Amino acid sequence: MKYTPDRAPLTGETLDSLTARLAERGEPAFRAKQILDWLYKKRARSWDDMTSLSKPLRAWLAETFDLLPAELVLNKQSADVTDKLLLGLRDRSLIETVIIRVPQEGVGLDHSRKTICISTQVGCAMGCVFCASGLAGLKRDLSAGEIVAQLLHVCHLEDARTPRARTELASFDNIVVMGMGEPLANYDALIRALTIVNAGWGLGFGARRITVSTSGLVPKILKLAEEPLGFRLAISLHGATDEVREKIMPVNKAYPLAKLIPAVKAFSEKHGRMVTLEFILIAEVNDALEQAEKLRDLARDLHAHVNLIPYNTVEGLPWKRPSLTRQERFAEVLRRARISVTLRREKGHDIDAACGQLRLQTEQAREAT
Ligand code: SAH
Ligand code: SF4
């Protein structure tokens, strides 16, 4: 399951690790920062772009490191301002990264708020019955370099789209770790990647604008609470009682609500920030009003925000989203109790934006040829 590339991804190096590697070659201490500036600040696309480095050093770097360990295979744009990027890794694995644009009033699309959704694994082992990502199980974890590479690809696309007349390095506003895979099952690579994304020598992106979403791996939630960088947390709840949750999320057997809820509470008390409870609405599975009432009680107890997401149909799976009226009635139970709730008019339905669907289709097409 572990994949070892022949060259280490440059996007997986920290300032310290790169400094140490360069010191072996007798390079001065400032060299690592210079190289990372080329990568993240000046957006060098090839070693030869790094003109302040000597040619022999560039040649050594090219042999030793992979500058960007992913290539853009497909960019599927949708009318409702979502871009879905399919990226190919060195072992031909495919991963998905999504750009979600939320237009702001009075300004053009180029100035919309942008949220980037990144993947952490190829496939997923958690087996949630409604999800396309997990259908074929877990292929492998992503390395830190492969996680960071997704964001650098987005930067390159956005740089080409809008002139870089901005004060910030990253051309987006939020990162959500909600793509393919269970981020907390690939914990070390996740934290290393987010550390690189956050660092001043990296993308300089604020930890408080990064949300990690988990299906509920309790020990790792508690570990995440102790991280020095204060990331935000979202929980894929999808069932407000063990009875319902267990039917659709096998993880609930190991970590039932009696374990999950106290862990979420511990996290939010430690951070003093609202946690988000994600709840996909699936017809006749979890859309009964009793579920809404139980969800309301949980959200109140946790002082959490609730994000209701109408289920996105997955080819080959029987689940359906409830009618609009039913979605509204569910949301109303929460609103009446003054719970902070959003009923997502989900983006990108027409480009298969729900996690794992684009990759699944492409792999199926590959197999068919
Ligand atoms: N594994 C993590 C993060 C990735 S999944 C987690 O489960 O939280 C990101 C979100 O998309 C989760 O809330 C997941 O339940 C949801 N999701 C999966 N399949 C979906 C579908 N077909 N329609 C709508 N949301 C879906
Ligand atoms: Fe994995 Fe999340 Fe999909 Fe569950 S919902 S199978 S944890 S990606």
Side-chain angles (χ1 to χ4, degrees), residues 62-284:
E63 274 169 29
T64 314
F65 293 104
D66 192 353
L67 193 132
L68 187 59
E71 58 196 343
L72 185 63
V73 175
L74 193 70
N75 177 0
K76 225 174 166 188
Q77 293 182 297
S78 89
D80 70 355
V81 298
T82 306
D83 275 30
K84 184 135 193 172
L85 313 184
L86 191 66
L87 300 176
L89 305 176
R90 297 299 178 227
D91 65 347
R92 283 176 49 86
S93 291
L94 295 170
I95 52 167
E96 304 177 8
T97 307
V98 185
I99 307 173
I100 305 150
R101 296 192 181 78
V102 183
Q104 303 295 290
E105 260 181 62
V107 296
L109 251 193
D110 288 345
H111 300 280
S112 55
R113 289 187 69 78
K114 296 178 195 91
T115 295
I116 314 303
C117 176
I118 57 172
S119 297
T120 51
Q121 298 183 310
V122 184
C124 184
M126 304 307 295
C128 306
V129 299
F130 48 80
C131 175
S133 287
L135 276 184
L138 175 69
K139 186 168 168 199
R140 70 170 172 88
D141 284 338
L142 295 187
S143 67
E146 290 168 330
I147 298 173
V148 176
Q150 298 171 58
L151 295 162
L152 209 45
H153 265 287
V154 172
C155 288
H156 291 162
L157 278 173
E158 294 292 327
D159 288 349
R161 202 170 269 151
T162 38
R164 284 181 67 200
R166 47 157 207 261
T167 48
E168 289 187 333
L169 206 53
S171 45
F172 38 83
D173 305 282
N174 295 291
I175 296 172
V176 293
V177 190
M178 293 187 186
M180 207 194 309
E182 168 49 55
L184 297 189
N186 186 13
Y187 193 88
D188 293 346
L190 172 79
I191 298 300
R192 187 181 174 96
L194 296 184
T195 303
I196 294 169
V197 167
N198 173 259
W201 45 260
L203 275 179
F205 194 85
R208 282 169 172 257
R209 291 192 285 149
I210 302 177
T211 302
V212 176
S213 173
T214 178
S215 58
L217 295 177
V218 166
K220 297 292 167 58
I221 292 173
L222 296 172
K223 198 169 172 194
L224 191 70
E226 299 303 321
E227 291 294 336
L229 296 176
F231 305 116
R232 289 178 158 241
L233 180 68
I235 302 289
S236 290
L237 199 65
H238 311 331
T241 53
D242 282 326
E243 197 203 348
V244 169
R245 196 166 192 263
E246 201 169 274
K247 277 191 200 141
I248 51 178
M249 300 181 73
V251 67
N252 198 69
K253 293 208 174 67
Y255 304 114
L257 295 176
K259 288 189 176 152
L260 178 60
I261 300 302
V264 178
K265 205 172 216 172
F267 187 99
S268 74
E269 275 165 11
K270 175 109 195 168
H271 286 262
R273 305 286 303 263
M274 260 187 154
V275 166
T276 297
L277 300 178
E278 295 168 273
F279 204 94
I280 319 178
L281 290 170
I282 313 177
E284 282 158 53

